[in-house]
Structures are given as structure tokens and as C-alpha cells.
Amino acid sequence: SQTIHQWPATLVQPVGSPLSLECTVEGTSNPNLYWYRQAAGRGLQLLFYSVGIGQISSEVPQNLSASRPQDRQFILSSKKLLLSDSGFYLCAWRGLRGPQETQYFGPGTRLLVL
Amino acid sequence: AQSVTQLGSHVSVSEGALVLLRCNYSSSVPPYLFWYVQYPNQGLQLLLKYTSAATLVKGINGFEAEFKKSETSFHLTKPSAHMSDAAEYFCAVSVDETSYDKVIFGPGTSLSVIP
């Protein structure tokens, strides 16, 4: 069965420090992968999506970048974190589970920048 | 352009009472509509989605939603609230059923269930 992993679950980082959040998917190949940010009291904002290795589309200009070094690995990074980068980061993949194709979300990483 | 509004950032209901979470959308083309639930510190889980096959859509956990084109609404309901329904609920709209890079999420409604 397909599963999606994210780590770490929680992260507290100082302003100006680097960031690396990892997302991996198991049980599927060549999935479409997505990074979302959910700020407190707000809906989800799509940050990046990828349709394959090395293929990254960015939805909004920001302090973050993404990479897909392997088929089932999607990494969210920053060279220098800002206070405004705090939020709940969700990775998702598009795939089939039973008869329905839909988007499945990982457990998320809660990032607090101080 | 598409957009989603969810009336009420926070809704409280008594256990056993009707749950009604409101969602209105704006779309220049026939929309695909979704409801997701997010339990504390977890990712989102799809409750149901509307794809024009039927206006009344039944989802998991006893939830259902009705698409009303004249009202541009897709409200989520459940006849009897359980304590386990306490969570954040997101309505979303898309022009495409499967291109999730085009999905627009609403701001969410936090549901509290009072014993």
C-alpha cells in the first residue's frame, strides 16, 4: 500500500538558519508531489509541485526552494529562514487508492521560526 | 479565476446535533469541489468530492454535501455530530478533477463538538 512520510514532525529554528524538510512516498512510482504551507488560521497555499525527477514548478515567489532528487523524494529547503516562514508544511501526492484518484497528504511538519 | 469562501471560521455544535459547514465558491467554468478534514497535527484527508455525477455527494464518516449551482454553494452536513468530528474542515475548488496544482483551498472552519 502507498504511504507518505514527512520529517521532522516538529522543528524550531532561529531566523537566518537553513531548512531542509523531507517527504518520501512508498508504494508508488512517478507520483506527482506537492508542498503546501498552512499558516495559522488560514487555508493551504500551494508552494511547489513536481511531476518528475528534477521537475519543479513554483507557485509563489518566496524564500523557499524545492528539489526532487529521486522519484519518491521531495525536499523543501531554505538557505535563510524568515519569521514569516513559520507554519505547518504538508507534502502530498496524487494517486489512486481504490476507485478514486485524489490527493493524499502526509502528516505534516510544524515549523516555528524564532 | 476561482475562489472559495467558508462562512464561519469556528463552529460549535452539541453532540448529536446537526453539523452544517458552509462553503460558497466562485468559478467561471463548471467546478470540481472537495471537502477535506484535518485532525490536530495531521495532514488532510479527503471527505468527499463533487465531479458533476450527482449533486448530492456522500462521503466518509457520515458526511455529505450538496452542490447547488444556483446558490454557488457546496455545504457540508452530518445529521448527528460525534465528539470525534472535532477537527478543521476545508472546502476546495478546482477547474480540473485531477490537476491538484490548480486546487484553491478555503480558509477552513474549525468544528468543536460539545458533550
Side-chain angles (χ1 to χ4, degrees):
Chain A
S1 63
Q2 304 97 333
T3 56
I4 181 168
H5 302 281
Q6 285 187 245
W7 65 89
T10 305
L11 190 61
V12 181
Q13 291 284 98
V15 169
S17 64
L19 173 74
S20 181
L21 302 181
E22 191 161 343
C23 169
T24 58
V25 181
E26 295 178 358
T28 187
S29 60
N30 196 31
N32 283 12
L33 296 171
Y34 308 81
W35 274 114
Y36 290 88
R37 176 170 56 206
Q38 183 181 18
R42 301 181 64 179
L44 275 69
Q45 179 187 33
L46 180 63
L47 301 175
F48 302 95
Y49 70 95
S50 171
V51 299
I53 295 173
Q55 301 178 64
I56 308 296
S57 296
S58 175
E59 290 299 297
V60 293
Q62 59 206 309
N63 182 42
L64 302 169
S65 61
S67 62
R68 187 166 176 178
Q70 300 180 39
D71 181 43
R72 289 170 284 179
Q73 185 183 33
F74 203 22
I75 298 173
L76 184 69
S77 304
S78 173
K79 292 182 179 178
K80 287 186 177 182
L81 283 169
L82 306 173
L83 287 174
S84 57
D85 291 325
S86 293
F88 193 46
Y89 289 83
L90 290 161
C91 181
W93 69 282
R94 184 190 112 191
L96 273 171
R97 183 172 289 172
Q100 195 169 58
E101 179 176 297
T102 187
Q103 198 174 34
Y104 298 96
F105 288 80
T109 293
R110 189 164 301 282
L111 171 66
L112 180 59
V113 182
L114 301 175
Chain B
Q2 296 182 301
S3 65
V4 177
T5 56
Q6 291 183 242
L7 184 64
S9 59
H10 189 89
V11 171
S12 290
V13 300
S14 298
E15 191 174 15
L18 170 72
V19 176
L20 171 61
L21 304 181
R22 300 178 185 274
C23 172
N24 288 89
Y25 69 91
S26 172
S27 178
S28 57
V29 298
Y32 293 91
L33 294 159
F34 308 80
W35 273 103
Y36 287 88
V37 60
Q38 183 182 29
Y39 298 103
N41 296 311
Q42 295 186 29
L44 275 69
Q45 179 182 4
L46 181 70
L47 276 176
L48 49 83
K49 71 174 179 179
Y50 166 75
T51 60
S52 77
T55 56
L56 183 63
V57 183
K58 294 187 183 296
I60 62 172
N61 301 339
F63 285 94
E64 62 182 34
E66 186 173 9
F67 172 70
K68 291 187 177 180
K69 184 178 179 180
S70 61
E71 299 177 7
T72 61
S73 68
F74 191 56
H75 302 330
L76 182 70
T77 60
K78 182 173 180 178
S80 177
H82 294 164
M83 296 298 294
S84 59
D85 294 327
E88 189 91 15
Y89 291 81
F90 293 92
C91 183
V93 64
S94 177
V95 297
D96 189 308
E97 183 178 357
T98 57
S99 295
Y100 292 97
D101 52 296
K102 300 180 176 64
V103 174
I104 304 297
F105 285 85
T109 297
S110 177
L111 175 66
S112 297
V113 181
I114 304 166

